[in-house]
Amino acid sequence: GSSSSGAKQLVDVSSEDLEDVNKIMQQAMRERTEGIILYQAGTAAHMAGKYREAGERLDAAAKAAESLKDHRLLAESLIMLGYNMKKLANYPASLKAFDQSIAAASLAASRDRKYLEGGATLGKGITHNEMGNLVQARQLFEEAKALSTEAGDLAGEASAASNLSALLVNHEPHKARQMLERANKLRYQLFEAAASPSERFEAKRSWAGTMTNLAGVVFAQEGMEASLPYYKGALEMAEATSAV
């Protein structure tokens, strides 16, 4: 008799525990969904040029992610907040957000770590570049490129290579060209891998910009005839995206 009542007691305790765990999980899911919505709304406001509104939403998204210990969402929110603060010319706040993002990225799942660190390091480099700190910017672009390459982040590597090329073009034109040729190849791969029409549109637009920059470098080094295929390619892509 005692063993059956003991078993019943165990079942009762277990079901109550499961109910509590279920409630906690549902609450966490709701909070995470709210955090993601805030991040997406902040990103949309940033893209629309509403930087004050974007800053409030991204800051709220970061706070939600921090309370949930969602390191990936925290790092992503802080990366966008860093870019947003740069747009407001608040460079100390921009650099602080990127540094905090790198710290959050170091706690993220191993599969996300290099990708997030690369994104934050690139943003930090872009801010330093805008501030005129060119030595720091170059180091950060090189670091971001290495991190993105390791993470298999083609878009991140292409952006880092393009930004690095812009810094090198006057002093190390051959290395600048190498960087742009690499970025051009990556942009082509991203275009080929794009699944939806909107992804193909964005990939083509980015590719057109990279190819235009490459055409300019080739023109400076080899003249019009060598650069013409790049200019034509960039023009065709630019026309295709502007026609949509």
Side-chain angles (χ1 to χ4, degrees):
S2 62
S3 63
S4 64
S5 64
K8 186 175 187 301
Q9 190 180 0
L10 280 173
V11 170
D12 287 346
V13 170
S14 298
S15 62
E16 284 170 12
D17 285 350
L18 281 171
E19 214 171 289
D20 288 343
V21 167
N22 197 30
K23 283 177 184 173
I24 291 165
M25 285 177 70
Q26 285 179 346
Q27 177 66 19
M29 283 171 69
R30 276 197 297 273
E31 288 175 8
R32 185 170 190 279
T33 302
E34 286 170 13
I36 291 168
I37 289 167
L38 282 165
Y39 166 71
Q40 291 174 340
T43 301
H46 174 83
M47 296 302 181
K50 298 175 181 176
Y51 303 123
R52 301 280 176 197
E53 181 186 328
E56 289 172 10
R57 290 182 176 180
L58 290 166
D59 192 52
K63 285 188 171 77
E66 191 170 21
S67 70
L68 287 166
K69 293 185 167 54
D70 187 333
H71 304 298
R72 177 174 177 133
L73 180 60
L74 176 57
E76 288 180 327
S77 299
L78 288 165
I79 287 170
M80 278 309 303
L81 188 61
Y83 279 116
N84 199 68
M85 291 298 104
K86 183 183 75 67
K87 283 289 187 183
L88 292 168
N90 188 341
Y91 298 123
S94 173
L95 293 173
K96 183 182 176 183
F98 288 127
D99 281 335
Q100 288 175 332
S101 178
I102 291 166
S106 71
L107 301 172
S110 57
R111 66 179 180 276
D112 298 329
R113 204 168 294 152
K114 298 294 181 188
Y115 162 75
L116 294 167
E117 286 175 351
T121 303
L122 175 63
K124 196 175 170 183
I126 289 169
T127 300
H128 272 293
N129 189 38
E130 199 166 292
M131 292 168 70
N133 302 331
L134 304 186
V135 174
Q136 293 98 315
R138 177 175 180 168
Q139 289 172 345
L140 289 160
F141 290 150
E142 286 173 343
E143 189 182 336
K145 185 178 179 299
L147 286 163
S148 297
T149 302
E150 197 176 335
D153 176 14
L154 303 187
E157 187 189 345
S159 293
S162 293
N163 278 284
L164 186 54
S165 171
L167 272 185
L168 298 173
V169 71
N170 292 324
H171 308 291
E172 299 176 47
H174 292 288
K175 187 167 182 182
R177 180 169 173 173
Q178 283 178 348
M179 289 294 105
L180 277 174
E181 283 172 345
R182 176 63 180 157
N184 194 51
K185 185 178 178 182
L186 291 165
R187 292 295 180 196
Y188 169 72
Q189 289 175 8
L190 286 161
F191 174 71
E192 286 291 296
S196 67
S198 62
E199 283 178 8
R200 289 178 76 81
F201 175 83
E202 287 301 324
K204 192 176 274 190
R205 189 164 65 174
S206 297
W207 190 13
T210 301
M211 199 176 281
T212 301
N213 292 336
L214 180 55
V217 171
V218 173
F219 175 74
Q221 291 178 3
E222 297 179 31
M224 178 54 80
E225 193 175 341
S227 67
L228 212 51
Y230 297 104
Y231 277 123
K232 282 181 176 175
L235 188 60
E236 283 169 14
M237 281 186 281
E239 285 173 348
T241 51
S242 64
V244 174

